[in-house]
Amino acid sequence: MSKRVFIKTYGCQMNVYDSARMADALAPIGFVPVDDPEQADLIILNTCHIREKAAEKVYSELGRLRRLKQRPAAAGGPVLLAVAGCVAQAEGAEILDRAPYVDMVFGPQSLHRLPEMIARVSRGAGQALETDFPVEGKFDLLPEASAPASGVAAFLTVQEGCDKFCTFCVVPYTRGAEFSRPAADVLAEAGRYAAAGVREITLLGQNVNAYHGAAADGGEWRLARLIAAIAEVPGIERIRYTTSHPTDMTEDLIAAHRDIDQLMPYLHLPVQSGSDRVLRAMGRRHSADDYRRLVDRLRRARPDLALSSDFIVGFPGESDADFQDTLDLAAEVEFAQAYSFKYSPRPGTPAAGAAQLDEAVKRDRLSQLQALLDAQQQAFNHACVGEDLPVLFDRPGRHPGQVLGRSPYMQAVHVNAPASVLGTVQGVRIISVAANSLAGTLKERAVA
Ligand code: SAH
Ligand code: SF4
Ligand code: F3S
């Protein structure tokens, strides 16, 4: 009889990709994915360590799941409980101290060892802890990535890890050193996705634009070259990439936004702060003006490019004037969408030891910045009304007769249309803006 695995994913898109790879690694030993933890024989929490709140969620979830360790045989017997991902990497054995009923703790670089760990734990050989950065590459040892079951749009990890060591960030510690997958592997995976019906690929990496993968000709490809090659894969109509670091936005990548039709005019480009003093303390390696100039160059290459970003407020030492610089930069650039966070001191990172700002100051700054960014997002969405946008339809809507898709700018768009449009790009006239989506009408009815 097959066994059932429930995987809960926290954090960034790379964790979403990794969770799918865990399911791939478990399939050969008989596990099928389920979406109810009560039904599962194995539960994996694929965790995120980026902010304190993210990490704490894991312990509360473990507390809730604990009773499934006592499940009677008639109801399936005790569940196997695993903590994977960035909290596992950062806290390792500490998790086994705080939650001794956990069976397995393994970091992002060890997920290919999952079958071996399960065998060991099932034999009663004790808990498994895998938080080394193994010398063997997980990408070489994992089974071929299966195309996503629901798949019109898919993530594809091309790069992992980070060598930038921004002073607030855990990623270089949880994901390890920067690594780029060989271009041929990426292209083969993209080809398999396309053959399975995927039309949009988002290339993932913690610093995706630092990509420098080995090429078949013995040389090295940067991200722009890789994107150009993926654009040639039959069936791939849209390409995105995330997350980029401003200092790795090379000339050829900017030119790709001008030259490659499939590359969507939407870029997530975290700036973190508008103050040079704070950017220096963060170790970001760029100034606020560097960022402004970069945005100008990108918009010259691709005038309809929409930008998204990440901001941190309340970094140690951030003054009112520094925060005003952040508001000024955001007001100038005009983001289509952006994330903003209160600084969260992370154990082991350089900024964590510095004197912290008052919580009330952080809260107030966050709400000011969010009000500005929300207004910008609203303005951007409203400016789309009356426009014709190509929409890739990827799922049925909530109401009968409705289908849902994404605009080039990642906006959710719903229209009334036959299910036959799913998996295709259609022209849509945008007619209204709702809280989190746009509504429109199909320009031409799809041929059924
Ligand atoms: N590699 C990306 C994103 C890293 S994590 C980059 O280079 O920007 C995603 C976002 O989380 C970051 O952009 C940052 O805005 C936020 N973040 C990271 N560490 C944080 C911390 N300690 N406190 C608050 N926000 C943080
Ligand atoms: Fe973290 Fe991004 Fe800085 Fe790397 S570049 S340390 S992932 S914020
Ligand atoms: Fe979180 Fe790890 Fe991603 S810390 S944001 S899951 S790289």
Side-chain angles (χ1 to χ4, degrees):
M1 207 183 77
S2 66
K3 289 163 282 183
R4 287 151 300 186
V5 56
F6 170 77
I7 307 179
K8 180 159 181 172
T9 309
Y10 302 80
C12 65
Q13 291 133 326
M14 192 164 293
N15 264 9
V16 176
Y17 181 86
D18 283 351
S19 291
R21 296 293 73 74
M22 287 185 219
D24 288 341
L26 289 167
I29 56 165
F31 279 92
V32 293
V34 290
D35 49 19
D36 176 9
E38 304 285 332
Q39 304 297 319
D41 304 294
L42 166 65
I43 295 177
I44 304 175
L45 305 182
N46 193 12
T47 62
C48 173
H49 201 245
I50 201 81
R51 285 168 292 275
E52 193 180 352
K53 249 193 214 147
E56 281 307 315
K57 273 188 201 158
V58 177
Y59 289 101
S60 29
E61 185 67 26
L62 284 173
R64 277 192 294 274
L65 293 171
R66 179 176 193 174
R67 72 188 161 77
L68 293 175
K69 292 295 304 173
Q70 265 88 50
R71 195 169 53 187
V79 75
L80 277 182
L81 204 48
V83 179
C86 290
V87 176
Q89 187 62 48
E91 299 190 356
E94 241 180 277
I95 298 174
L96 299 177
D97 288 342
R98 265 181 84 173
Y101 46 90
V102 166
D103 299 291
M104 289 175 266
V105 173
F106 58 97
Q109 303 312 330
S110 306
L111 48 98
H112 57 285
R113 294 186 177 172
L114 195 44
E116 186 188 315
M117 284 184 258
I118 292 171
R120 203 166 359 130
V121 172
S122 309
R123 269 202 315 272
Q127 293 155 309
L129 176 67
E130 297 269 359
T131 53
D132 295 341
F133 290 110
V135 277
E136 79 264 18
K138 73 171 173 190
F139 289 106
D140 293 336
L141 294 168
L142 279 168
E144 275 189 357
S146 63
S150 61
V152 174
F155 295 132
L156 202 175
T157 295
V158 302
Q159 182 277 342
E160 198 173 351
C162 181
D163 295 336
K164 296 260 183 331
F165 290 93
C166 300
T167 59
F168 52 80
C169 184
V170 293
V171 170
Y173 311 95
T174 63
R175 292 276 169 174
E178 203 280 312
F179 166 79
S180 296
R181 294 177 69 189
D185 293 2
V186 173
L187 285 171
E189 200 166 315
R192 284 199 304 276
Y193 283 13
V198 167
R199 296 292 163 257
E200 173 176 306
I201 289 185
T202 302
L203 304 176
L204 297 183
Q206 265 88 31
N207 255 221
V208 71
N209 58 344
Y211 178 84
H212 58 104
D217 62 8
E220 213 176 61
W221 281 6
R222 296 298 311 252
L223 187 63
R225 183 72 188 80
L226 185 70
I227 290 171
I230 292 175
E232 300 295 315
V233 174
I236 298 303
E237 297 185 44
R238 291 181 159 191
I239 303 170
R240 306 177 186 276
Y241 59 95
T242 198
T243 295
S244 295
H245 192 284
T247 60
D248 291 316
M249 276 322 288
T250 50
E251 206 51 57
D252 57 343
L253 188 53
I254 296 173
H257 280 278
R258 180 192 62 214
D259 299 334
I260 300 177
D261 288 341
Q262 291 99 321
L263 189 55
M264 289 293 98
Y266 180 84
L267 180 63
H268 182 61
L269 193 62
V271 63
Q272 314 297 358
S273 168
S275 152
D276 288 344
R277 227 171 53 84
V278 173
L279 287 168
R280 243 190 328 274
M282 287 176 164
R284 284 293 289 181
R285 309 171 188 212
H286 61 82
S287 67
D289 278 346
D290 291 336
Y291 189 87
R292 289 184 176 89
R293 276 191 291 271
L294 179 56
V295 168
D296 285 345
R297 282 159 64 210
L298 281 158
R299 284 181 168 154
R300 271 201 300 277
R302 182 81 207 219
D304 61 341
L305 186 84
L307 285 162
S308 152
S309 201
D310 290 340
F311 292 87
I312 295 176
V313 301
F315 188 78
E318 184 189 69
S319 65
D320 286 337
D322 292 322
F323 177 61
Q324 188 58 48
D325 287 343
T326 297
L327 291 174
D328 291 347
L329 179 123
E332 237 173 275
V333 173
E334 294 191 37
F335 293 96
Q337 194 266 344
Y339 302 94
S340 44
F341 312 100
K342 285 186 286 192
Y343 170 68
S344 170
R346 306 307 292 129
T349 59
Q356 299 298 311
L357 298 194
D358 273 359
E359 186 56 28
V361 172
K362 290 188 188 179
R363 207 181 316 125
D364 176 58
R365 288 182 185 167
L366 185 66
S367 65
Q368 282 188 60
L369 180 61
Q370 285 185 338
L372 172 64
L373 295 169
D374 283 350
Q376 291 187 343
Q377 181 168 3
Q378 286 303 317
F380 181 80
N381 288 343
H382 282 280
C384 294
V385 174
E387 297 283 314
D388 295 333
L389 297 179
V391 172
L392 173 60
F393 289 102
D394 60 351
R395 68 210 116 124
R398 236 180 307 148
H399 306 292
Q402 215 181 46
V403 285
L404 206 63
R406 294 267 168 198
S407 77
Y409 311 117
M410 290 296 280
Q411 296 144 305
V413 180
H414 51 85
V415 302
N416 288 320
S420 58
V421 301
L422 289 171
T424 68
V425 176
Q426 303 287 335
V428 172
R429 169 69 51 88
I430 304 300
I431 49 176
S432 65
V433 179
N436 296 310
S437 62
L438 306 179
T441 51
L442 277 195
K443 289 288 289 169
E444 285 165 47
R445 277 184 69 87
V447 185

